[in-house]
């Protein structure tokens, strides 16, 4: 039905519908299921996301001891009233971190688009929920819109850190969340595309360098920063700001950058933060447990 962001936007504009509607109908056609069945399956994903955030905000620790408790710390900081950034942005950061802390603690999460980048989309969604007061159906639409952009990225570039670095994981998730929140906030399909382009192009070159090969350091905090970037990119697009480079070309650039990355920066723990003195010390400690 669509293979590019340009085609996705064109379909939504021609039919005068949301991007989420285009994606939902694609899923109905592809899976040969009813809308009710597709929505029910997505609702199950949404429930998993919500439960992961709730669990993470109570405070969890990973088995390695490398991560945990930061989502709770950030919520306490927000409550203090001393935060420099806005509460919505920091709430998105906290909830994104909470999700990935649960992942690191072997809890249940919903990969979107991957486990290592699972916090960005739900972090943004459940943060803006407090401001926009969406219905359950609108929250599901958010996920379908995010999925539509993720579908395009996955089929024209990559979403795996091993293939394209962290730009392909957290970068893609950031673009997906930015596009989805624009739609939820009343933006146009074209503005969703602009937000996705702004978000993703500012993640270009981000390497995947997990300490000790675990999806913890720096992965958890990168999800938090990705969530904050998604909200900012969405606001920029809603303000009328456009990306000089079209979304599809940003995706192409991400693919090109990912292909040119040395293997040390693609999930092998061979370079970057994983290869720092502290990174190697932590690796030795974890592997000796």
């Amino acid at each position: 039905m669509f293979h590019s962001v340009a085609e996705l936007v064109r379909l939504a504009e021609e039919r005068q519908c949301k991007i989420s509607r285009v994606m939902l109908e694609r899923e109905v056609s592809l899976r040969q299921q009813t809308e009710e069945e597709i929505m029910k399956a997505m609702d199950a994903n949404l429930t998993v996301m919500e439960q992961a955030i709730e669990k993470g905000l109570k405070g969890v620790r990973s088995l390695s001891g490398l991560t945990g408790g930061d989502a709770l710390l950030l919520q306490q900081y927000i409550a203090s009233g001393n935060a420099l950034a806005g509460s919505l942005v920091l709430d998105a950061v906290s909830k994104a971190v909470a999700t990935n802390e649960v992942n690191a603690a072997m809890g249940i999460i919903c990969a979107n688009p991957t486990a290592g980048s699972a916090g960005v989309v739900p972090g943004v969604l459940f943060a803006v929920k407090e401001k926009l007061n969406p219905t359950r159906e609108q929250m599901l639409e958010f996920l379908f819109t995010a999925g539509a952009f993720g579908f395009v990225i996955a089929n024209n570039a990559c979403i795996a850190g091993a293939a394209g670095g962290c730009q392909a994981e957290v970068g893609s998730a950031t673009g997906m969340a930015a596009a989805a929140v624009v739609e939820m906030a009343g933006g146009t399909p074209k503005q969703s595309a602009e937000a996705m382009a702004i978000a993703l192009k500012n993640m270009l070159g981000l390497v995947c360098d997990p300490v000790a090969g675990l999806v913890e350091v720096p992965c958890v905090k990168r999800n938090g920063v990705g969530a904050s970037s998604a909200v900012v990119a969405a606001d920029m697009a809603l303000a009328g700001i456009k990306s000089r480079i079209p979304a599809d070309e940003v995706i192409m650039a991400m693919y090109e950058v990912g292909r040119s990355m040395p293997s040390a920066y693609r999930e092998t723990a061979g370079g970057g933060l994983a290869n720092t003195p502290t990174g190697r010390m932590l690796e030795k400690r974890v592997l000796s447990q």
Side-chain angles (χ1 to χ4, degrees):
M1 183 179 285
F2 61 89
H3 300 282
S4 67
V5 172
E7 290 175 348
L8 178 61
V9 170
R10 177 178 57 78
L11 283 170
E13 289 179 339
E14 287 178 353
R15 297 171 52 190
Q16 296 185 324
C17 69
K18 296 178 179 179
I19 284 174
S20 53
R21 166 52 55 177
V22 176
M23 186 61 176
L24 175 58
E25 292 183 0
R26 176 198 173 276
E27 290 296 290
V28 169
S29 176
L30 179 68
R31 298 177 182 273
Q32 295 296 297
Q33 294 179 312
T34 65
E35 282 194 16
E36 290 74 19
E37 290 172 326
I38 297 295
M39 291 288 278
K40 183 178 180 181
M42 187 62 88
D43 191 85
N45 293 333
L46 180 58
T47 297
V48 170
M49 294 177 189
E50 186 171 25
Q51 291 175 343
I53 289 173
E54 290 175 352
K55 183 176 181 179
L57 291 180
K58 292 177 182 178
V60 295
R61 298 292 304 181
S62 67
L63 296 178
S64 70
L66 291 177
T67 56
D70 288 340
L72 178 58
L73 282 177
L74 193 50
Q75 285 292 331
Q76 293 170 344
Y77 177 63
I78 295 170
S80 74
N82 296 321
L84 301 177
S87 59
L88 188 152
V89 171
L90 290 182
D91 192 40
V93 172
S94 176
K95 288 172 177 174
V97 168
T99 301
N100 282 84
E101 287 183 334
V102 168
N103 178 55
M106 302 300 174
I108 300 174
I109 52 91
C110 180
N112 53 103
T114 65
S117 59
V120 180
V121 170
V124 171
L125 172 55
F126 282 94
V128 298
K129 178 185 177 184
E130 305 301 321
K131 181 178 179 64
L132 300 179
N133 298 309
T135 63
R136 186 75 175 184
E137 182 176 350
Q138 289 172 326
M139 294 178 74
L140 296 178
E141 289 175 348
F142 182 105
L143 297 181
F144 279 108
T145 300
F149 283 87
F151 170 79
V152 173
I153 296 171
N155 283 279
N156 289 281
C158 56
I159 56 173
C166 199
Q167 58 166 7
E169 293 206 28
V170 173
S172 295
T174 301
M176 291 162 59
V181 77
V182 164
E183 180 176 288
M184 179 175 277
T188 66
K190 192 168 184 179
Q191 286 177 320
S192 284
E194 298 292 355
M196 178 268 172
I198 292 169
L200 182 57
K201 73 182 184 181
N202 284 292
M203 290 283 186
L204 292 185
L206 185 59
V207 301
C208 184
D209 50 352
V211 171
L214 302 175
V215 188
E216 297 191 49
V217 178
C219 320
V220 173
K221 294 182 180 70
R222 280 187 182 159
N223 274 260
V225 173
S228 68
S229 295
V231 174
V232 171
D235 264 336
M236 293 174 74
L238 288 166
I241 297 172
K242 299 179 180 179
S243 171
R244 293 295 183 183
I245 308 300
D248 288 310
E249 292 183 31
V250 174
I251 294 171
M252 289 172 57
M254 189 264 276
Y255 179 61
E256 177 189 350
V257 171
R259 288 186 64 188
S260 67
M261 276 186 186
S263 62
Y265 304 120
R266 288 187 280 117
E267 208 171 324
T268 61
L273 298 176
N275 197 38
T276 60
T278 298
R280 291 304 180 197
M281 180 270 291
L282 291 172
E283 177 184 36
K284 184 177 180 180
R285 190 190 77 189
V286 169
L287 297 181
S288 67
Q289 291 179 357

